[in-house]
Amino acid sequence: MTALDTERLGRRAEAMLEELAAISEEPDRLTRRFLTPEHKRAAHLVGQWMAEAGMTPSEDALGTVRGHYAMAGESAGANAVPRLLVGSHIDTVINAGKYDGMLGVVAGILAIEHFRDQGRRFPFAVDVLAFGDEEGSRFPTVLSSSAALAGAFDPSWLDGTDRDGITLRQAMLDYGLDPGAVGTAAMSRDEAMAYVEIHIEQGPVLEHGNRPLGVVTSIAGQYRTRVTVRGMAGHAGTVPMPLRQDALLAASEMIVLAEHIAKAHPDAGMVATVGHIKVMPGAINVIPDLVEFVLDLRASSDAPRASALQSFTARAEAIAAARGCSVAFDTYHDCRTAACASWLQEGLARSTASLGLDAPRLVSGAGHDGQSMEKLTDFAMLFVRCKGGISHNPLESATVEDMGLAVAALIRFIETFNPRERG
Ligand code: GLV
Ligand code: MN
Ligand code: MN
């Protein structure tokens, strides 16, 4: 094993993240949603970096960039080569930080660049992946790029629309992709040996424990449920309060109800969030007749999450009825708790220990592509400390030093990766 210059690796990562962060839909903040022209520009840049690092880049049917680092003795164009998958995502939330997702992609590229510089190949290929739809910030889909790769893409997702009424199908066509070819993105189980992702923690645990890196044990399960409340529009000055059917008042009670339900399950780490709401007709002097919001509900185990959603819908119906409104629910995302494979957790723990680090184990409250990749293969994640635990916020940050250690840990992981440990 050669000594690793973690300071240099960290500085390279930071410079690449800066470059990616400059590609935004909005001039003064970072927003890069799935299948936008900015996603395409970022994908192009990542593909270029992959080629420079010694990989063969390609784009799959969902726009995922795949950098293939050939195995020892691999003949050009060989198919179904066993590969270790490494990666993360390049889409962002609205008003994002520059580390969420992008760090994992950049870390993969830097690790491969290191092996290319050493002229080193392995008895397996390594594919670095840059997914485009982890955040679900454009369409009513979440993790659709990794789902396609795992062969779990639901064709009905193609009909989902963004805020401008553009379907996923149309957005794919505009991006230059063929919606009829989604099936070609699926990898076979024989090809995928494991999926490993580096990601910022997005929470405060590592910082609190004064540790740069942590090994993830599982990812919390998640629902995204669209709630549509219908009432009756009316004049803000003439309809007496008891006679109103105000959809926004009903929705407001439901949102507070979600908070109460989540707070009643601290043992399951339950959290409920409503981060977007649409009020119609949206006029100051009109009683709202239609409200739509999405409830994001997560927990570290599936049974309390399911019963919480059941209790929410039953009680929300009662709230709507008491106000003369109706309510409908559409749970378009139901992702169960996903466990990281213990043999891969051990591999990551060994690689961090080889750098002299003691990496604690921790659960991820945030969603990640591993949740769909587990349908294809075993997966694991390495978390990197981030400042204040802040994420989904432009204040998100990780130090050059910690990022260098993360890339070094990934290098150690890949060079000691032994699929026979799978058992
Ligand atoms: C993605 O970051 C999510 O957890 O929503
Ligand atoms: Mn992410
Ligand atoms: Mn995110």
Side-chain angles (χ1 to χ4, degrees), residues 27 37 49 72 93 101 104 141 143 150-152 165 172 201 313 321 324 326 344 378 380 415-417:
W49 285 339
V93 292
T141 56
L143 312 177
M172 288 179 71
E201 182 202 339
T313 54
S326 66
L344 296 172
D378 286 353
E415 65 190 1
T416 55
F417 178 70

Side-chain angles (χ1 to χ4, degrees), residues 89 93 100 134-136 142-143 199 202 219 222 224 296 298 333 364-368 371 391-392:
H89 61 100
V93 292
D100 175 1
E134 190 252 16
E135 303 286 6
V142 190
L143 312 177
H199 203 286
Q202 306 183 276
I219 304 176
Q222 179 184 158
R224 288 194 189 179
D296 178 315
R298 311 185 190 203
H333 181 61
S364 173
H368 296 287
Q371 288 168 292
S391 185
H392 284 187

Side-chain angles (χ1 to χ4, degrees), residues 165-383:
I166 299 170
T167 59
L168 173 58
R169 177 182 284 103
Q170 186 58 47
M172 288 179 71
L173 289 167
D174 295 345
Y175 192 93
L177 301 168
D178 174 5
V182 168
T184 63
M187 223 175 237
S188 77
R189 284 183 166 271
D190 299 342
E191 277 176 284
M193 303 167 86
Y195 172 70
V196 175
E197 177 166 343
I198 306 270
H199 203 286
I200 55 164
E201 182 202 339
Q202 306 183 276
V205 175
L206 293 174
E207 185 176 74
H208 196 70
N210 202 20
R211 299 281 204 288
L213 304 177
V215 176
V216 179
T217 53
S218 65
I219 304 176
Q222 179 184 158
Y223 288 119
R224 288 194 189 179
T225 300
R226 184 178 310 285
V227 183
T228 306
V229 187
R230 287 178 198 279
M232 173 72 108
H235 196 294
T238 61
V239 186
M241 296 310 282
L243 300 184
R244 295 184 177 207
Q245 293 163 266
D246 186 325
L248 181 56
L249 287 176
S252 305
E253 275 194 59
M254 293 173 199
I255 294 168
V256 175
L257 165 68
E259 183 200 17
H260 285 314
I261 290 176
K263 280 184 165 168
H265 293 87
D267 45 319
M270 192 173 291
V271 283
T273 307
V274 175
H276 181 252
I277 181 161
K278 185 165 109 183
V279 181
M280 297 296 280
I284 289 165
N285 57 351
V286 182
I287 299 163
D289 65 345
L290 176 68
V291 174
E292 260 180 35
F293 63 90
V294 176
L295 171 66
D296 178 315
L297 181 72
R298 311 185 190 203
S300 55
S301 50
D302 294 328
R305 183 169 58 92
S307 73
L309 185 63
Q310 232 172 21
S311 148
F312 173 80
T313 54
R315 290 159 71 184
E317 267 164 6
I319 289 170
R323 289 185 173 275
C325 298
S326 66
V327 61
F329 309 97
D330 171 24
T331 297
Y332 64 86
H333 181 61
D334 173 5
C335 203
R336 65 184 185 82
T337 301
C340 296
S342 52
W343 68 284
L344 296 172
Q345 288 187 49
E346 285 312 308
L348 287 171
R350 265 200 318 267
S351 62
T352 50
S354 76
L355 301 169
L357 301 172
D358 172 20
R361 310 273 169 137
L362 71 173
V363 174
S364 173
H368 296 287
D369 285 298
Q371 288 168 292
S372 41
M373 293 301 279
E374 75 153 357
K375 298 185 176 96
L376 175 73
T377 189
D378 286 353
F379 83 99
M381 295 189 74
L382 186 68
F383 271 175

